[in-house]
């Protein structure tokens, strides 16, 4: 089981490293998307500070969803997915490994880019720290949910947009707890509740999303 | 000894078609009758509310619609799951038939919520917990409809839809909880749709009448839609061919 | 000539490979029935060549045999268990589909090692190298799959067959596709050895397997449309 996980995980990382530019596109999108908000809302630091947490979180959400469409599509097209399903390895393990790889390639860079973004939006240090921490817990949730969405929409024509429509409602709790933590810090309220809920959500998602994903994959391959 | 009704016999599309055809006229009649009664009681008999005046009367549509939207989602997920687990085609068709009606009720609940909000608080939309959850429920419905529509292979569509509906149903409590949490954090004052006026006897009657009217309507539309789906999917079978011939001869 | 199912070999036969048995198998694509009422058995040391015109469902039948798809009706069993439920089926089966399952951006060795590891086959460097050399891809083992021709990619994926040590059933979809005569010969040699060891084969091929191929029982899918 561990062998299968590391085999899939390492392979996906290796593939991403060989297409470095493409792997970094979601982060670029993230930065561009966030930069649009001041242009739309106005550059006043007061306003920006208020909307910063929400803006960063939503942009991270969209960046994650956009990049997750291709999580299974490539393997599906060249027949690798069939082989993975046939291998007798647990679908749960394969789905977890794919989600972990997606997070490493897309989610983690988003978390690393967040402080830069926070500075652009004039966030306080405390808010910035909380934002990074919330994204650290939240982006894996997005990768897990996104993997499930990618499996459900495998091979469909408008898979990208459809996936976003399907997964966004499910991502709302993570968004609320994550962005809410930053608002709490700004108002001087304790963030313990937010982080415990976010953490619980992460555990719940990690235990259930790969299961749903493996079901979705076998449905898609039938 | 009387033979008990074999309920599973209606899992066959042809027999479901027959049953639905039998029940539909009555369902429409009941729906119309109860709706008229409910609207009459709600708009003319129930007393004026002390705080909200006449505008509160929209809740006789808003609340039953919201209930229906939630119940229908669970029903949809239930039948989709049955269809997936037991390979029951008719159950999957039923789930697909429920979705548009469920989405419609959700939209109705949102729309009537707006009509309530405007005279009461001056805005067309209030981001309170209930309305926001309804909005997300609408997205869940639309997601299901979009997914099954995008999948050409009906069997895969049924199964994928079932998985999505189940995941959605499981997530609804989590989403609702998180929206409630979000709402209490950001709004000091409890401006809430749930602060319904204290129910006078007649108001409750009106609410119940409208609820049952919506139930009957939902059954009628879902059955009709399911009949259409059955005809379409089973078009190569004998019973559909016989039906078409019989209709042509008329 | 079509094979008829006789008494099924169960996995209780000491060391003997189970028989793949299809009973009254039917398959649909969308609303179209591809085939129905198919009865087929592939016993140890037997190789079956699935024939039929384009679109008759040959690939679908192979996918049913592999356990990827669910039949519309009928059963397909590995020994006495349905293929999708048989616990040991993955270890006793190799499925080479139409697609090569190689990643463009990985080298041949990396791709093959991944597949071997996932399937629980020998995946150490010497074994992979030996398998590639067996199929004539030894010199290109570090090349990126992207740079290979179609025939070379086919060879690379067929190298999986050279990794097999246990008896198994080989389900092959157009194995000879794009191969030159050397490639065809290498595949046929692998097939001979495999059958001698007690394995079984179910394959489709629009190309003739050639004279050097092992004896193939032909099963025509056309009558079952």
């Amino acid at each position: 089981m561990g062998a299968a996980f590391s085999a899939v995980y390492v392979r996906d990382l290796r593939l991403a490293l060989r297409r470095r530019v493409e792997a970094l596109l979601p982060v670029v999108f993230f930065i561009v998307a966030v930069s649009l908000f001041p242009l739309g809302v106005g550059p006043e630091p007061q306003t920006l500070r208020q909307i910063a947490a929400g803006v960063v979180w939503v942009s991270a959400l969209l960046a994650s969803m956009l990049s997750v469409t291709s999580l299974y599509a490539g393997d599906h097209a060249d027949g690798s997915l069939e082989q993975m399903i046939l291998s007798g390895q647990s679908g749960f393990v394969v789905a977890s490994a794919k989600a972990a790889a997606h997070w490493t390639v897309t989610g983690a860079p988003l978390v690393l880019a967040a402080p830069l973004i926070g500075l652009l939006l004039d966030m306080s240090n405390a808010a910035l720290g909380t934002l990074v921490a919330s994204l650290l817990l939240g982006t894996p949730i997005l990768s897990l949910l996104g993997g499930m969405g990618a499996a459900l929409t495998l091979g469909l024509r408008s898979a990208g947009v459809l996936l976003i429509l399907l997964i966004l409602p499910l991502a709302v709790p993570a968004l609320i707890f994550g962005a809410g933590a930053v608002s709490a810090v700004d108002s001087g309220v304790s963030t313990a509740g937010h982080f415990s809920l976010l953490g619980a959500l992460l555990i719940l998602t990690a235990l259930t999303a790969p299961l749903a994903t493996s079901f979705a994959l076998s449905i898609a391959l039938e | 000894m009387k033979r008990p009704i074999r309920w599973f016999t209606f899992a066959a599309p042809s027999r479901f078609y027959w049953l639905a055809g039998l029940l539909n006229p009555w369902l429409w009649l009941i729906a119309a009758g109860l709706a008229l009664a409910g609207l009459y009681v709600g708009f003319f008999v129930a007393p004026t509310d002390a705080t909200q005046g006449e505008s509160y009367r929209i809740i006789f549509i808003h609340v039953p619609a919201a209930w229906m939207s939630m119940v229908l989602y669970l029903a949809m997920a239930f039948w989709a799951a049955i269809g997936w687990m037991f390979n029951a085609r008719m159950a999957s068709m039923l789930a697909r038939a429920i979705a548009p009606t469920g989405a419609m009720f959700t939209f109705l609940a949102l729309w009537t919520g707006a009509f309530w909000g405007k005279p009461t608080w001056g805005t067309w939309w209030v981001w309170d917990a209930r309305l926001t959850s309804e909005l997300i429920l609408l997205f869940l419905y639309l997601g299901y409809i979009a997914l099954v529509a995008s999948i050409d292979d009906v069997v895969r569509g049924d199964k994928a839809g079932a998985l999505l509906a189940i995941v959605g149903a499981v997530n609804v409590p989590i989403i609702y909880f998180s929206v409630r949490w979000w709402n209490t954090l950001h709004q000091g004052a409890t401006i809430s749709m749930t602060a319904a006026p204290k129910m006078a006897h007649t108001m409750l009657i009106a609410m119940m009448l409208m609820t049952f009217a919506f139930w009957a309507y939902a059954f009628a539309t879902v059955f009709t839609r399911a009949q259409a789906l059955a005809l379409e999917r089973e078009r190569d079978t004998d019973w559909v061919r016989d039906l078409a011939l019989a209709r042509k001869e008329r | 000539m079509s094979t008829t199912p006789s008494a099924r070999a169960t996995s209780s036969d000491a060391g003997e490979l189970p028989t793949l048995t299809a009973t009254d198998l039917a398959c649909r694509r969308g609303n179209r029935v591809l085939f129905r009422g198919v009865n087929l058995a592939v016993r140890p040391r037997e190789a079956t060549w699935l024939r039929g015109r384009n679109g008759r469902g040959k690939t679908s039948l192979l996918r049913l045999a592999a356990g990827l798809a669910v039949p519309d009706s009928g059963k397909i069993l590995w020994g006495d268990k349905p293929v999708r439920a048989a616990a040991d089926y993955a270890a006793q089966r190799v499925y080479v589909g139409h697609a090569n399952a190689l990643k463009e951006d990985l080298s041949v060795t990396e791709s093959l090692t991944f597949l071997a590891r996932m399937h629980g086959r020998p995946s150490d460097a010497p074994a992979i190298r030996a398998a590639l050399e067996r199929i004539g891809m030894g010199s290109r083992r570090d090349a990126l799959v992207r740079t290979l021709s179609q025939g070379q990619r086919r060879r690379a994926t067929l190298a999986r067959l050279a990794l097999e040590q246990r008896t198994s059933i080989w389900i092959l979809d157009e194995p000879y596709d794009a191969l030159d005569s050397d490639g065809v010969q290498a595949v046929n040699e692998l097939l001979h050895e495999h059958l001698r060891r007690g394995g079984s084969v179910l394959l489709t091929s629009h190309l003739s397997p050639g004279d050097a191929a092992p004896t193939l029982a032909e099963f025509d899918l056309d009558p079952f449309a």
Side-chain angles (χ1 to χ4, degrees):
Chain A
M1 231 172 52
F5 185 96
S6 57
V8 174
Y9 182 74
V10 169
R11 184 200 74 146
D12 270 22
L13 285 190
R14 191 171 280 161
L15 286 169
L17 275 171
R18 302 212 176 147
R19 295 263 168 201
R20 260 182 293 257
V21 174
E22 285 170 30
L24 286 175
L25 285 178
V27 185
V28 176
F29 169 84
F30 174 58
I31 298 173
V32 170
V34 171
S35 313
L36 286 177
F37 282 88
L39 291 168
V41 166
E44 220 219 350
Q46 195 88 308
T47 325
L48 292 182
R49 231 175 286 131
Q50 257 190 328
I51 64 170
V55 163
V56 172
W57 252 92
V58 171
S59 304
L61 183 51
L62 291 175
S64 247
M65 291 304 115
L66 284 175
S67 66
V68 89
T69 328
S70 53
L71 193 61
Y72 291 105
D75 286 336
H76 182 55
D78 64 25
S80 304
L81 187 59
E82 274 184 346
Q83 293 300 329
M84 286 196 269
I85 298 295
L86 282 176
S87 66
Q89 303 289 356
S90 148
F92 187 98
V93 169
V94 171
S96 306
K98 294 287 280 183
H102 178 263
W103 182 80
T104 310
V105 173
T106 303
L110 288 180
V111 176
L112 292 174
L116 171 67
I117 302 301
L119 289 175
L120 284 177
L121 297 174
D122 198 36
M123 291 176 80
S124 69
N125 284 339
L128 208 56
T130 313
L131 178 64
V132 171
S134 70
L135 282 175
L136 194 59
L137 286 176
T139 41
I141 298 176
L142 299 180
S143 292
L144 286 161
L145 290 175
M148 183 179 71
L152 271 173
T153 57
L154 198 57
L156 300 179
R157 268 183 307 274
S158 339
V161 185
L162 185 57
L163 187 150
I164 293 179
L165 173 61
L166 297 182
I167 300 301
L168 281 190
L170 304 175
V172 161
L175 172 63
I176 287 176
F177 299 138
V182 184
S183 306
V185 153
D186 269 338
S187 355
V189 177
S190 157
T191 54
H194 292 88
F195 278 115
S196 1
L197 285 167
L198 200 54
L201 197 58
L202 176 57
I203 295 173
L204 179 67
T205 313
L207 290 175
T208 54
L211 183 65
T213 307
S214 77
F215 274 124
L217 286 173
S218 51
I219 290 172
L221 285 176
E222 270 170 29
Chain B
M1 191 188 82
K2 242 176 71 165
R3 242 178 344 141
I5 308 172
R6 284 173 54 245
W7 291 105
F8 283 119
T9 187
F10 296 115
S14 53
R15 281 191 275 275
F16 175 86
Y17 188 90
W18 169 85
L19 178 68
L22 203 65
L23 294 174
N24 274 344
W26 297 107
L27 290 169
W28 287 115
L29 219 61
I30 294 171
L34 288 176
L36 281 171
L39 287 171
Y40 176 73
V41 174
F43 280 82
F44 297 109
V45 176
T48 315
D49 180 61
T51 38
Q52 296 188 39
E54 302 295 334
S55 63
Y56 88 97
R57 296 183 191 276
I58 199 80
I59 63 163
F60 297 121
I61 301 178
H62 171 78
V63 173
W67 285 342
M68 286 310 297
S69 72
M70 288 184 265
V71 168
L72 283 176
Y73 191 89
L74 290 174
M76 180 182 88
F78 174 76
W79 286 114
I82 296 281
W84 186 15
M85 265 190 283
F86 299 109
N87 246 324
R89 298 190 311 283
M90 201 61 232
S92 303
M93 287 191 254
L94 211 53
R96 289 200 192 216
I98 293 174
T101 303
M104 187 277 293
F105 275 118
T106 316
F107 183 75
L108 187 63
L110 290 171
W111 200 51
T112 50
F115 272 114
W116 189 3
K118 189 67 169 123
T120 322
W121 297 298
T123 50
W124 280 114
W125 182 260
V126 174
W127 286 96
D128 89 322
R130 276 265 301 277
L131 273 187
T132 311
S133 299
E134 278 291 312
L135 185 62
I136 298 176
L137 186 63
L138 181 63
F139 296 154
L140 287 173
Y141 271 117
L142 293 179
Y144 175 89
I145 294 170
L147 182 65
V148 299
S150 305
I151 300 179
D152 292 331
D153 175 12
V154 280
V155 174
R156 176 181 165 189
D158 286 345
K159 293 185 184 178
L163 182 59
L164 183 67
I166 294 168
V167 168
V170 165
N171 268 278
V172 161
I174 302 175
I175 294 173
Y176 184 63
F177 170 77
S178 67
V179 171
R180 277 261 301 270
W181 170 281
W182 163 82
N183 192 243
T184 56
L185 289 178
H186 290 267
Q187 284 192 36
T190 40
I191 308 170
S192 174
M193 294 297 192
T194 56
K198 272 186 70 186
M199 287 284 159
H201 192 56
T202 44
M203 294 181 190
L204 268 166
I205 292 178
M207 205 86 96
M208 287 294 118
L209 286 172
M210 287 309 290
T211 306
F212 287 125
F214 282 170
W215 261 113
Y217 170 81
F219 268 110
T221 35
V222 170
F223 278 2
T224 310
R225 204 175 282 121
Q227 282 182 306
L229 280 175
L231 284 180
E232 192 185 329
R233 274 208 208 179
E234 307 274 306
R235 60 182 174 276
D236 293 326
T237 56
D238 292 332
W239 72 271
V240 176
R241 288 225 183 89
D242 294 341
L243 216 67
L245 280 170
R247 208 161 277 194
K248 215 186 282 181
E249 276 159 23
R250 271 201 248 133
Chain C
M1 181 185 101
S2 55
T3 50
T4 47
S6 57
R8 298 182 207 146
T10 60
S11 48
S12 60
D13 291 333
E16 183 88 321
L17 195 69
T19 299
L20 180 77
T21 320
T23 316
D24 206 24
L25 203 60
C27 177
R28 277 205 303 187
R29 189 183 298 148
N31 278 326
R32 207 162 51 94
V33 172
L34 286 176
F35 56 77
R36 60 177 118 211
V38 166
N39 292 300
L40 172 65
V42 184
R43 290 176 210 81
R45 296 170 204 280
E46 275 182 15
T48 301
W49 180 8
L50 192 60
R51 313 206 58 179
R53 296 219 297 277
N54 287 342
R56 280 287 182 245
K58 298 193 294 296
T59 297
S60 303
L61 181 56
L62 291 191
R63 294 184 88 240
L64 284 169
L68 275 173
V70 178
D72 216 46
S73 64
K75 298 188 291 191
I76 183 150
L77 304 176
W78 181 241
D80 52 356
K81 293 207 197 67
V83 292
R84 279 169 78 91
D88 48 355
Y89 195 35
Q92 293 175 321
R93 164 209 59 209
V94 179
Y95 172 73
V96 178
H98 215 65
N100 287 321
L102 301 170
K103 303 306 292 185
E104 298 254 310
D105 293 326
L106 293 182
S107 74
V108 174
T109 303
E110 286 167 342
S111 274
L112 193 59
T113 309
F114 172 74
L115 288 172
R117 203 164 280 161
M118 286 300 283
H119 288 280
R121 284 7 188 213
S123 59
D124 51 294
I128 300 289
R129 182 174 176 158
L132 285 170
E133 278 178 7
R134 187 73 208 275
I135 202 83
M137 284 293 293
S139 59
R140 304 284 282 147
R141 66 180 182 278
D142 289 323
L144 289 184
V145 171
R146 211 178 342 127
T147 61
L148 300 178
S149 70
Q150 284 296 67
Q152 288 173 318
R153 294 183 196 204
R154 203 71 182 133
R155 287 203 201 203
T157 209
L158 289 167
R160 288 171 54 203
L161 302 177
L163 284 171
E164 290 296 292
Q165 293 170 329
R166 299 179 53 182
T167 52
S168 45
I169 179 170
W170 291 1
I171 303 172
L172 311 173
D173 199 347
E174 302 284 350
Y176 302 107
D177 221 21
L179 291 182
D180 57 17
S181 53
D182 283 341
V184 171
Q185 190 184 350
V187 171
N188 283 333
E189 276 172 20
L190 285 168
L191 287 174
H192 274 290
E193 274 177 33
H194 170 71
L195 289 165
R196 263 202 304 274
R197 272 202 312 258
S200 53
V201 177
L202 176 62
L203 60 79
T204 67
S205 179
H206 64 280
L207 302 163
S208 164
D211 303 321
T215 319
L216 300 167
E218 291 181 23
F219 187 92
D220 197 347
L221 206 50
D222 282 340
F224 295 93

